[in-house]
Amino acid sequence: MADRAVTAAMSDVNTTVHSTANSMAYLQDEMKPDTDAMAPLNLGDLDLTTDEFILDEVDIHIQANLEDDLVKEALKTGVDLRQYSKQVEDELQRIEQASIKDYIKESQNIASLHNQITACDSILERMEGMLSGFQSDLSSISSEIQTLQQQSVSMNMRLKNRQAVRSHLSQLVDELVVPGAMIQVILESPVTEQEFLEQLHELNNKINFAKELSFRETLACSDIQDIVDRLKIKAVTKIREFILQKIYSFRKPMTNYQIPQNTLLKYRFFYQFLLANERTVAKEIRDEYVDTMSKIYYSYFKSYSGRLLKVQYEEVADKDDLMGVEDTAKKGFFSKPSLKSRNTIFTLGQRGAVLSPAELEGPILIPHTAQRGDCRYPYETLFRSQHYALLDNGCREFLFLSDFFMVAGNSALDLFNSVMGKTLSLFLKSMSTYVSDCYDSIAVFLCIHIILRFRAITNKRTIPALDKYWDAVLELLWPRFELILEMNIQSIRNTDPQKLGVLDTRPHYITRRYAEFSSAIVSINQTFTSERTHTLLGQLQVEVENFVLKMAAEFPSRRDQLIFLINNYDMMLSVLMERAADDSKEVEGFQQLLQARSQEFIEEILSSPFGGMIAFVKESEALTEKGQLDRLKNDEGEYRERMQTLFIMEMFAECFHDYTVQVGSLHTLSLESLKVVFQPLHTSLVNKL
């Protein structure tokens, strides 16, 4: 209703104002003086003829009036401007008189308008009072809203503070309160139950919280300290009995200790609880485990190693089974019988299969099964089985110790050495005993590469526990291998060809031993290359080459010497190429030696029937290289005779190129080499001469 009244009042005000404006205009017109009765214009002291008056503005006004359309029309039609001005003035006076009469007729309306204006003033006055009241009310409401806002901010702050205090207090109360369910489970439930493990976690949290409060000297801590301590003692007692029982179960004969180990890993938090709350009991359990497992591993591997040695080959190499020793060498009356074939010491055969991935990580040997089957194995096979069992158990044990006892780095390695130290010492002592009396270089070298591969496996598994042991074993094996190899080198160096029996152009058994041994070592050494091995093989190759030359020198004729050299070089090259790479140093060296001796043998067998022709060929080659072929033309008769002979030789080589000449009993040379020697030379000479 108030809005409608205000709207109506504003409408009345607008109407009244409009009427007032019309009335004021009418009154002003009434108050104007009559233009006809106006007094003459008094210009006073104004001088219109003075030279100082500036007519610039007058010119501007005149120019502007001339631009007016009416003025332009009047000027065009030739109207008298004075007469026209008089008419305009008369018209204006007539309009003015009419307007005054209209205002006089409306005098009553003007009086009514005055009354309306007065009424509007009163209405506006009342509205002003109302608006002033509204303004005062709004100011009071604004102050009240501001007060309420301040109160709201204050209440919100107090609410947040109380909520923060409540959360801390509720957490404190929850941590301090020991529920009855926890007490019942800790006291009565078996440690293998899941709820016992869950309540043990809660108890551990309360113990840690109580320790934290005791550092802050919180009085509420004393209320629960006694209950928490009793529960801790009970939990420690039950956990200790459980873990020790599992450790004692390892000691039972024929027990698979990996099963109780897996059980302990399920409850690894038990040891963590002991380590955090009762270190003496944790140390007791750790020491008991180390002592028990150390004895178990030592007993197991000692028994296993001893039973493995019972299935080893009875015939083993000794200090007399060297590369340069004669097959028919006799021993003393009390000496043990020699191997059936000394050549088997230097032959790899199927022994290299122990390094294949399938056998390297295959199942370990079971001694009693091998004994029932009357099976025998070389030492490297037993060595592989023994050390693969060590690798498998060692990796598993290291992971268990790191996980259950929560150790890492050097602490984990120290704990592992405490468990496996006696076993590793047993292995090293056994290895030292074997190596000191071992003369089987291939077995030692295979053991070296087994260790290198096992070390790569532990590195791949990121198990550093056995690294020092691998290094210790290699420090035992490498010097022994080098010593055996040097003994073989020395035996070849000291060999007297005159004491080796009847001379024969067939390959010598010493060179066959070298070829088999060298190919075996080169093939094994391809995966893990060792410069030390290459150096020793190079020394051995030099001694073998010298030995072959010394043996060849025992033959009376040069032809037999070359046949012996070719047969031995060819045999060694053939054996080496079966196992070694084609680009190996040994293969390349014997290829060059064989090619040189074959070329020399060809010249040797051709020197008797074609000695003059060969001399002519060599002389022609020398002159061809020097560019002195004109000297051959000086003796035309001899030249023609030589060329005819050379042509006959080519025909001979063409006809019999499929025939071969036997060199000794094993190597053959094709007569096609005659064509290779003479035909290119003949073509060259004919073209140049």
Side-chain angles (χ1 to χ4, degrees), residues 3 47 238 346 405 409 481 499 542 562 592 624:
D3 294 338
D47 186 6
K238 295 177 70 174
F346 308 101
F405 292 103
F481 174 73
K499 297 180 180 180
V542 171
L562 293 174
Q592 294 174 1
T624 301

Side-chain angles (χ1 to χ4, degrees), residues 379-605:
Y379 178 78
E380 62 271 8
T381 302
L382 308 181
F383 181 87
R384 196 279 318 172
S385 180
Q386 182 186 37
H387 281 79
Y388 187 70
L390 175 65
L391 181 147
D392 189 46
N393 287 274
C395 291
R396 185 180 292 107
E397 185 64 27
F398 181 80
L399 293 175
F400 173 82
L401 294 175
S402 300
D403 195 3
F404 185 78
F405 292 103
M406 296 180 297
V407 290
N410 293 330
S411 299
L413 295 177
D414 293 340
L415 184 59
F416 177 83
N417 291 330
S418 300
V419 175
M420 300 292 293
K422 292 175 62 177
T423 303
L424 299 180
S425 299
L426 172 68
F427 273 40
L428 290 175
K429 183 178 180 180
S430 174
M431 283 294 303
S432 178
T433 303
Y434 168 77
V435 166
S436 63
D437 195 35
C438 176
Y439 294 91
D440 188 353
S441 54
I442 291 182
V444 175
F445 199 61
L446 285 172
C447 291
I448 289 173
H449 279 264
I450 289 172
I451 294 298
L452 292 175
R453 284 162 172 77
F454 282 167
R455 183 168 65 180
I457 292 174
T458 55
N459 291 336
K460 185 178 180 180
R461 297 180 183 179
T462 64
I463 305 295
L466 293 171
D467 289 350
K468 291 185 178 180
Y469 174 75
W470 301 139
D471 295 338
V473 174
L474 292 176
E475 289 178 359
L476 288 174
L477 295 176
W478 272 117
R480 188 64 187 179
F481 174 73
E482 293 174 357
L483 176 62
I484 298 173
L485 208 54
E486 289 174 355
M487 291 174 64
N488 282 285
I489 294 172
Q490 189 63 34
S491 68
I492 295 176
R493 184 182 296 122
N494 297 335
T495 300
D496 187 358
Q498 297 180 355
K499 297 180 180 180
L500 295 181
V502 181
L503 293 176
D504 192 351
T505 57
R506 293 176 298 180
H508 200 273
Y509 58 83
I510 291 181
T511 58
R512 180 173 294 278
R513 291 175 187 172
Y514 162 76
E516 294 287 351
F517 177 77
S518 181
S519 64
I521 299 300
V522 170
S523 63
I524 295 172
N525 199 47
Q526 287 178 354
T527 304
F528 293 89
T529 306
S530 172
E531 292 299 328
R532 300 159 66 182
T533 304
H534 284 305
T535 302
L536 291 172
L537 285 180
Q539 297 176 7
L540 180 62
Q541 181 179 350
V542 171
E543 294 300 330
V544 170
E545 292 174 1
N546 294 335
F547 166 75
V548 172
L549 293 177
K550 288 192 295 183
M551 286 295 299
E554 296 295 320
F555 290 93
S557 65
R558 182 58 181 168
R559 183 174 182 276
D560 291 339
Q561 292 177 0
L562 293 174
I563 292 174
F564 177 79
L565 292 174
I566 291 173
N567 285 336
N568 280 273
Y569 291 153
D570 181 68
M571 182 273 299
M572 289 188 287
L573 183 61
S574 300
V575 174
L576 282 171
M577 292 182 68
E578 289 179 1
R579 296 184 180 274
D582 294 340
D583 57 350
S584 63
K585 295 180 180 179
E586 293 79 9
V587 172
E588 292 179 354
F590 284 114
Q591 283 178 340
Q592 294 174 1
L593 291 173
L594 178 61
Q595 184 178 1
R597 294 296 175 257
S598 299
Q599 184 67 27
E600 186 178 354
F601 178 73
I602 292 173
E603 295 179 0
E604 181 66 26
I605 62 175

